[in-house]
Amino acid sequence: MAKKQFKAESKRVLDLMINSIYTHPEIFLRELISNASDAIDKLCYLSLTDDKVGMQRSDFKIKLGVSEKDRIISVSDNGIGMTKEDLENNLGVIAKSGSLQFKGDMDKTGDASDLDIIGQFGVGFYSAFMVADKVTVITKAYGSDTAYKWESEGVDGYTITEWQKDGVGTDIILNIKQDVEESEYTRYLNHISIGQMVKKYSDFIRWPIVMDMVQPEEVESGEFDADGKPIMKTEYRTVEETINSMIPIWQRPKDEVDVEESNEFYKNLYYDYADPVATIRVNAEGTLEYKAMLFIPGRAPSNFFSDQFEPGLQLYSNGVMVMERCKDVIPDCFRFVRGIVDSPDFSLNISRETLQHGRQLKTISNNLEKKVKNELLRLMEEEPEAYEQFYGAFSDQLKYSICNNYGEKKDLLVDLLMFYSSTEKELIPLKEYKSKMPEEQKLIYFVCTDSIDQAESLPQAEQVRDKGYEILYMTGEIDDFVVRELKEYDGMSFCNITTDDLGFEGVESKEEAEKKQEENKELLEFVKDSVGEALSSVRISSKLKTSPVFLTTDGDVTIEMEKYFSMMKNNPVAQNVKASRVLELNAEHPAFAALKSAYDSDKDKAAELSKILYAQALLIAGLPLDNPTEYTELICKLF
Ligand code: ADP
């Protein structure tokens, strides 16, 4: 029998299917099951108006078969079937605009990542050729007496012959390829793999997907033991098992899904042992229709802050998974969100332009961004413990996102931040800080340190606390960068109490400090020279009350930033980021008087005292001493 040729463009796609080392070959099953489901939809729809169909809703199903021995996988449905013309038109050609366009794009770019588009939106029936070297379709259309067999071994073409088949519907039989080095097809050839693929991609197809399973059963053997009890024996029998769960949880009304069930669903799907802190349901109607079920985890996966973490939500179209991780539907700042977006507008088929999808996904992403933010704000307000758990896991993600892309997302995220309050002794949002500010307070005071204890004991904090002002103790690695990016909150500037002007007259007025600065010019210069290159200048402070010294900085780089960059051991540029260190001295402190008198009478001693004061400033700032041995020797000398 003469072989019929595929249309040229179909040949092209077939070629691709057969010869590309495709990243997700297992989607062939999803495609065939989706087609079977569509065919059943059609016949079921007919049966509503046409009694002659003679089928009940419960009669419809998709049956899978697998035989490792014969290297066969089959997908059978009792749907509408295909006539000879249907076979010619539907399977002989894929002259659909999308496939043509796809072919064109491939020609242009030749980029393997384009192949992923196939995985995302499907190529339907032809994907069978990714795993099969021969595909047989036996089908009988509703209303027809004749069945047909369509057979093809790939690009060479296909044959159609009359055939015998009992009921209406379609059987697709795949002869699975032999294993080659880079692709092991045998792994599909067992019930477990087939079951897993169905669960993964087609769990929510609304018709039962069944498979014959062999099950052991204990039965009486007809013989009896000495006590007269029947002896049992094991018999194996075949039962038809339904593999898919059919109704997706996110398609069910919200009030019909209890928290426990939805938490279980989350944990199974995302391999988490902890419940999510919040679950968001979205039911969007209008121009773009979709349902979403989103989860906010309470802990970060171990690889979350590494390149290995794959963000994204699962896309479904009418219960069929079309993409496992879609990054485009959720903004990157919320990459910790897990969940599903299901829209009848997502197509399984690449024949719809991908550009169209791009626009849809963007719209969804914008919507979900708002939903997630509102849910987080609600948590913060109504379930502070849950929010703190979330914040403990993902505050760094929020902070990195604020600093990313020139602060593009800072307005979105700023109200989700929390910092430790010097007065409340707990984390508070900036909004709360601002609402409690006394009227005369004009700045938001903060300090970046390694620990709360260190912040508590900072000499510079004393005056601010004495004024009754709250200070935010920021102990996060990149908090300094975050504040720099924010610059202000709701019209109030941030003030770093270690480096910035406090905005109010301190223990000493600035003029007084400047006067003393002038008077002690030579001494200050001497201190600087004694300490050496580490210091860029030495000043008289107007901020200190009881402490003799502290370390501050001039310019943009703070000590916290220097610390952060110094951790990047392999980055020479980062290693060169140095703060310009300034030593501030308290002119009212007895230590200063001692320094001054030594300077007048004993320069060597004055030099030693200078070094000690600098070392103390380093210790207060939580920095390592340049030379701890020298420091202890100097202290001992004082005894
Ligand atoms: P798509 O399903 O996206 O249209 P396919 O290449 O998967 O593209 O299938 C092409 C056509 O073949 C389908 O639109 C349908 O008309 C027909 N078809 C495929 N599988 C079946 C089936 N099991 N039963 C009836 N018709 C089928």
Side-chain angles (χ1 to χ4, degrees), residues 81 116 439 464 507 585:
D116 235 22
E439 209 175 318
V464 185
V507 254
L585 298 173

Side-chain angles (χ1 to χ4, degrees), residues 31-32 35-36 38-39 42 77 80-82 90-91 94 96 123-126 139 170 172 349:
E31 299 295 314
L32 298 182
N35 283 347
D38 290 347
K42 287 177 195 158
D77 66 70
I80 194 136
M82 282 179 274
N90 297 335
L91 305 187
I94 14 173
K96 295 171 200 155
V123 277
F125 176 75
Y126 283 81
T139 185
T170 305
I172 313 266
N349 201 301

Side-chain angles (χ1 to χ4, degrees), residues 580-595:
S580 163
R581 297 178 181 193
V582 179
L583 183 68
E584 291 210 3
L585 298 173
N586 181 353
E588 300 308 310
H589 200 278
F592 186 78
L595 172 71

Side-chain angles (χ1 to χ4, degrees), residues 116 136 147 317 334:
D116 235 22
T136 308
S317 175
F334 292 148

Side-chain angles (χ1 to χ4, degrees), residues 605 608-609 611-612 615-616 627-639:
K605 186 170 179 197
E608 286 169 7
L609 292 180
K611 285 182 183 169
I612 291 174
Q616 286 175 335
N627 189 341
T629 317
E630 187 190 21
Y631 175 69
T632 38
E633 275 165 10
L634 288 171
I635 294 284
C636 287
K637 219 168 155 185
L638 289 180
F639 289 134

